[in-house]
Amino acid sequence: WKAIKYTEYPNDDLCLCPESVDSASAPVFPPTFSVSEIKNKQRRHLMFMRLKQEKRRLSLKKKRRKEREALGDEAPPKPVPKTIENQRVYDETTVDPEDEEVAFDEGTDEFSAYFNRLTNPKVLITTSDRPRGRTVRFCQQLATIIPDSHVYYRRGLALKRIIPQCIARGFTYLIVINEDRKVPNGLVLCHLPDGPTAHFKVSSVRLRKEMKRRGKDPTKHTPEVILNNFTTRLGHSIGRMFAALFPHDPEFVGRQVATFHNQRDFIFFRFHRYIFKNEKRVGIQELGPRFTLKLRSLQKGTFDSKFGEYEWVHKRHEMDTSRRKFHL
Amino acid sequence: MQHDDVIWDIIGNKQFCSFKVKTKTQNFCRNEYNITGLCTRSACPLANSQYATVREEKGQCYLYMKVIERAAFPARMWEKVKLSKNYEKALEQIDENLIYWPRFIRHKCKQRFTKITQYLIRIRKLTLKRRRKIVPLSRKVERREKRREEKALIAAQLDNAIEKELLERLKQGTYGDIYNFPVHAFDKALENQEEESETDSENEAEDDEDVGKKEFVAEDDVEESDLSDFEDMDKLKGSSDEEESSEDEDESEEEMEMEQTETQRKSKGKAPLKGPVRRKRAYVEIEYEQEREPTPKARGT
């Protein structure tokens, strides 16, 4: 119904399809076309109303601008548009950068060994039983991204039996990718010498060949890590979990960066290669797979679904009631 | 009175039996006391006044028997005998209880009992192994989360955030001396000045000559930030050589711009692997020949 009638205009300009669409998504008509020329009454009425609205809006804007200028310096500051991030319910566990208690906790928790550079990460990636092609490829791509990682296929082995073997062989991390209907949909990240276990829901997985305008394959250089927006205590611990996946010293020669960006409790993972064009501009090109994670539960010890002690569990009826409340 | 044949005639063949399940090839009987599960003359519990079955309840097998003497007392019709957990002993028990009974029923009871014990063993084995926990997904919740994820993605503005973070890291000096961008204030000021003059000269040039002229702008010019990134990435090392090659084109507009940017680039100093690689605009390397008056040869004596 957006087609424009070609009527005869005094000047022979061909009226093209709307080039720019207004915010009210009205097609732009050539200037000689007035609303009253539409034969259909309903549509004419509609367009007329829209026109009136536009005019009213513009006049209101103008009036407001004039008032602002008239007031000059005494004008009240421009109201900031409300976003969900602005309106977020203040979480009392938000970490203050100078908080000593937090600093102390982080100095003595399970990751302190890593952050004090005592251990190097060694990651074991596995899946649930009988993984399908997509999951397998996802595992392989993850293995190329995370340095010093190994993919092993699980053929019916119980996790509880795998974990002591992993610890014996010096692994620091265990990643289990759960699959449902041929698509990866869950991730269990377990820090091994009895560290916390995090269970995530995985969504929107894009493998490397589905990415648009991607570059060549990632090299073996250690990437840098960017962790954005992990503000609360819980967010902090999850952030440290992610950071401990990668070795300490990133090789800047490789110019690769892995980003974990938390927005409204969704953690977006991206893997890029960057290049500094000058001081003010950097270009990034996405390589590597991308996926989104949502934390479902955090357990204190290693993976133990029956007797584990849960530090945090996502309870839908309690935690999803407010749209402005986030936990990470 | 119990007329088995009449009953069978009615329910088996001609009229309705509520326990009967008809399929294309076979008829099944849904009666819980049926011994084989099929709807046949010898296996129908309604059409046989002397009948026996084996059923299990919570892992325990029982032998049920029905005789014609108790046909009038439905509450007491079925006699229940608990079978031993030992397989052989239970078979003996069945034999003992069903002595003098028709061969068919005895045989089928034992068969059924065997099957039941087999599946009980399997159940016990499976409970020891780990099992997949099947969690139901609520469609509404999934839809809601998907939408929220999309909105969060838009709000996140990932590319900008990553770029900002990287630039901040560069400023803070985490990269050390790899990149040769001089962060000195003087150089920054110089840059700003050069940028200004560059834009000024561009504006002037444009005002004079772009009126009424059709210019075909290459794609590169418009989407420099996107496309140029990717082309730059892959070709880094050979870049410096290419830049030095000269091309001859007659466009005087590009003169001043070229000079400015050339000097700009030289002042920055080329980082070995980085640095702006390829210019997207058609550019001119112009060699200036200056005619000098031939110096008079000094002929000295």
Side-chain angles (χ1 to χ4, degrees):
Chain A
W1 56 269
K2 273 194 180 173
I4 302 173
K5 268 196 318 188
Y6 288 94
T7 56
E8 287 154 349
Y9 303 114
N11 39 348
D12 268 335
D13 287 338
L14 191 65
C15 75
L16 299 168
C17 285
E19 293 167 358
S20 63
V21 181
D22 289 343
S23 56
S25 77
V28 175
F29 291 99
T32 54
F33 192 83
S34 78
V35 189
S36 54
E37 279 183 30
I38 304 180
K39 304 287 187 190
N40 183 339
K41 182 174 180 181
Q42 261 187 348
R43 186 141 165 73
R44 190 172 62 231
H45 182 68
L46 202 81
M47 300 299 280
F48 180 68
M49 284 290 138
R50 242 189 246 165
L51 195 74
K52 278 285 181 185
Q53 258 183 14
E54 277 296 315
K55 278 197 187 156
R56 219 180 300 144
R57 217 161 47 96
L58 286 173
S59 68
L60 205 68
K61 248 192 186 171
K62 232 189 199 173
K63 209 174 21 158
R64 227 181 271 150
R65 210 188 325 137
K66 274 206 182 128
E67 278 177 16
R68 269 197 102 75
E69 283 166 21
L71 282 179
D73 281 332
E74 330 167 324
K78 215 171 186 182
V80 179
K82 295 188 199 170
T83 62
I84 293 186
E85 281 76 30
N86 288 348
Q87 308 292 98
R88 177 177 173 174
V89 165
Y90 175 71
D91 199 335
E92 56 225 0
T93 59
T94 311
V95 172
D96 207 13
E98 291 107 34
D99 203 341
E100 289 169 352
E101 189 190 327
V102 174
F104 176 71
D105 273 340
E106 291 186 354
T108 52
D109 76 351
E110 294 108 348
F111 299 107
S112 54
Y114 167 80
F115 283 106
N116 294 335
R117 290 168 184 259
L118 291 173
T119 53
N120 272 329
K122 193 173 173 198
V123 179
L124 177 72
I125 304 181
T126 181
T127 65
S128 52
D129 282 343
R130 313 197 126 239
R132 311 292 293 195
R134 219 180 137 81
T135 316
V136 168
R137 267 178 277 148
F138 181 54
C139 287
Q140 287 165 355
Q141 291 185 4
L142 266 188
T144 53
I145 284 192
I146 304 177
D148 198 11
S149 57
H150 308 267
V151 182
Y152 283 104
Y153 293 116
R154 195 141 73 107
R155 301 165 113 259
L157 298 171
L159 272 183
K160 289 226 200 110
R161 290 212 202 113
I162 297 183
I163 287 180
Q165 287 184 19
C166 286
I167 299 180
R169 293 197 197 175
F171 281 98
T172 54
Y173 260 104
L174 174 68
I175 297 183
V176 183
I177 296 180
N178 187 40
E179 185 200 4
D180 176 49
R181 287 209 214 160
K182 308 181 194 176
V183 135
N185 77 340
L187 187 112
V188 175
L189 183 61
C190 184
H191 185 75
L192 275 184
D194 42 71
T197 310
H199 176 41
F200 297 95
K201 173 174 103 145
V202 169
S203 43
S204 6
V205 173
R206 298 263 172 282
L207 298 178
R208 218 174 270 146
K209 69 174 183 180
E210 295 160 10
M211 311 266 258
K212 297 185 187 169
R213 297 198 215 137
R214 65 177 164 100
K216 298 189 178 161
D217 289 336
T219 57
K220 299 251 191 272
H221 298 115
T222 319
E224 296 175 46
V225 180
I226 292 184
L227 300 163
N228 271 345
N229 274 354
F230 288 97
T231 47
T232 62
R233 285 298 296 271
L234 182 66
H236 249 247
S237 44
I238 301 284
R240 281 157 72 78
M241 269 190 104
F242 287 134
L245 271 176
F246 295 92
H248 258 290
D249 301 306
E251 292 167 349
F252 297 125
V253 182
R255 287 182 296 125
Q256 293 176 138
V257 57
T259 312
F260 292 90
H261 181 104
N262 170 38
Q263 187 82 14
R264 303 183 194 173
D265 279 357
F266 287 98
I267 302 171
F268 298 102
F269 172 81
R270 301 282 186 272
F271 195 76
H272 291 277
R273 185 172 276 145
Y274 61 88
I275 177 170
F276 282 107
K277 296 205 195 134
N278 54 31
E279 272 176 27
K280 303 215 177 149
R281 283 237 307 224
V282 58
I284 52 176
Q285 183 188 30
E286 189 157 7
L287 328 167
R290 63 156 80 159
F291 50 91
T292 346
L293 298 171
K294 184 160 202 277
L295 181 68
R296 270 204 243 175
S297 70
L298 181 65
Q299 216 179 27
K300 208 128 181 53
T302 53
F303 181 76
D304 192 339
S305 44
K306 281 195 235 166
F307 305 112
E309 177 196 332
Y310 282 94
E311 239 181 69
W312 188 85
V313 175
H314 177 79
K315 297 196 185 118
R316 191 162 56 85
H317 288 289
E318 296 170 14
M319 298 183 183
D320 266 356
T321 43
S322 161
R323 284 186 214 211
R324 312 270 180 265
K325 187 164 200 295
F326 304 111
H327 309 281
L328 273 188
Chain B
M1 292 236 52
Q2 279 288 80
H3 302 286
D4 295 338
D5 291 329
V6 175
I7 294 176
W8 177 251
D9 207 26
I10 296 173
I11 63 177
N13 293 323
K14 290 187 196 156
Q15 291 193 19
F16 182 73
C17 171
S18 66
F19 297 108
K20 190 195 271 194
V21 173
K22 273 182 153 177
T23 48
K24 254 190 243 172
T25 48
Q26 224 178 21
N27 292 343
F28 292 101
C29 182
R30 271 187 7 199
N31 192 322
E32 43 194 19
Y33 287 102
N34 189 312
I35 197 165
T36 50
L38 308 171
C39 184
T40 52
R41 172 70 182 87
S42 40
C44 183
L46 306 174
N48 285 305
S49 37
Q50 191 185 44
Y51 199 76
T53 334
V54 177
R55 277 171 70 190
E56 67 97 16
E57 233 174 85
K58 293 187 193 153
Q60 184 60 259
C61 296
Y62 298 94
L63 173 68
Y64 287 82
M65 289 180 288
K66 162 174 117 154
V67 291
I68 196 170
E69 284 85 27
R70 296 197 301 271
F73 311 106
R76 289 180 256 153
M77 198 154 58
W78 291 96
E79 181 190 338
K80 187 168 163 180
V81 173
K82 185 166 172 182
L83 294 173
S84 131
K85 295 233 176 175
N86 186 336
Y87 181 68
E88 280 93 26
K89 276 209 192 129
L91 286 181
E92 282 172 16
Q93 269 181 305
I94 293 178
D95 262 333
E96 180 190 316
N97 276 311
L98 295 183
I99 198 170
Y100 307 131
W101 278 55
R103 211 183 308 130
F104 176 79
I105 293 196
R106 255 187 289 147
H107 183 61
K108 288 298 177 187
C109 275
K110 284 189 239 173
Q111 272 191 338
R112 195 179 167 93
F113 174 70
T114 311
K115 203 60 158 235
I116 289 178
T117 44
Q118 284 174 350
Y119 81 59
L120 284 176
I121 291 173
R122 193 153 20 114
I123 289 178
R124 274 181 245 134
K125 239 195 263 178
L126 282 179
T127 50
L128 290 178
K129 277 194 183 172
R130 60 191 184 90
R131 258 183 295 177
R132 273 200 197 190
K133 188 174 178 188
I134 298 186
V135 175
L137 296 174
S138 165
R139 216 175 305 167
K140 199 188 202 179
V141 172
E142 292 303 308
R143 249 190 295 153
R144 204 198 301 158
E145 297 224 324
K146 204 169 111 192
R147 183 107 177 109
R148 287 200 186 157
E149 187 190 321
E150 286 167 9
K151 295 286 186 179
L153 184 63
I154 295 173
Q157 295 181 347
L158 284 169
D159 290 340
N160 289 351
I162 298 177
E163 288 175 10
K164 228 185 347 171
E165 175 72 28
L166 288 172
L167 285 172
E168 259 191 54
R169 286 190 185 181
L170 180 68
K171 250 191 233 164
Q172 283 177 357
T174 42
Y175 297 130
D177 283 331
I178 309 179
Y179 303 103
N180 291 359
F181 306 131
V183 199
H184 220 264
F186 168 69
D187 286 310
K188 258 199 181 152
L190 192 64
E191 258 183 51
N192 289 341
Q193 207 189 35
E194 281 179 74
E195 275 180 21
E196 280 175 27
S197 51
E198 189 184 358
T199 47
D200 282 344
S201 65
E202 276 185 32
N203 287 337
E204 284 173 53
E206 282 173 1
D207 288 336
D208 289 343
E209 306 178 53
D210 281 2
V211 176
K213 227 190 196 177
K214 282 193 203 171
E215 217 177 308
F216 293 98
V217 182
E219 264 187 354
D220 316 328
D221 280 349
V222 178
E223 294 177 351
E224 202 181 49
S225 61
D226 287 332
L227 279 181
S228 54
D229 295 355
F230 311 128
E231 302 208 19
D232 289 350
M233 295 294 162
D234 297 341
K235 304 164 191 178
L236 286 175
K237 285 195 180 157
S239 60
S240 40
D241 299 323
E242 286 181 65
E243 282 175 289
E244 252 67 79
S245 64
S246 57
E247 296 169 30
D248 288 323
E249 275 177 59
D250 290 330
E251 280 187 318
S252 54
E253 294 175 5
E254 313 280 340
E255 268 188 35
M256 288 169 70
E257 204 189 299
M258 259 306 303
E259 281 184 25
Q260 297 279 3
T261 48
E262 270 195 82
T263 48
Q264 200 178 20
R265 226 187 297 148
K266 279 178 192 162
S267 72
K268 275 195 196 156
K270 282 205 193 117
L273 292 176
K274 325 309 177 232
V277 179
R278 241 209 210 160
R279 294 190 51 75
K280 290 305 157 181
R281 307 196 174 107
Y283 74 105
V284 188
E285 279 261 354
I286 296 176
E287 295 177 345
Y288 293 101
E289 276 188 17
Q290 288 183 351
E291 280 191 39
R292 277 189 229 145
E293 286 182 18
T295 51
K297 292 184 185 172
R299 295 193 182 172
T301 47

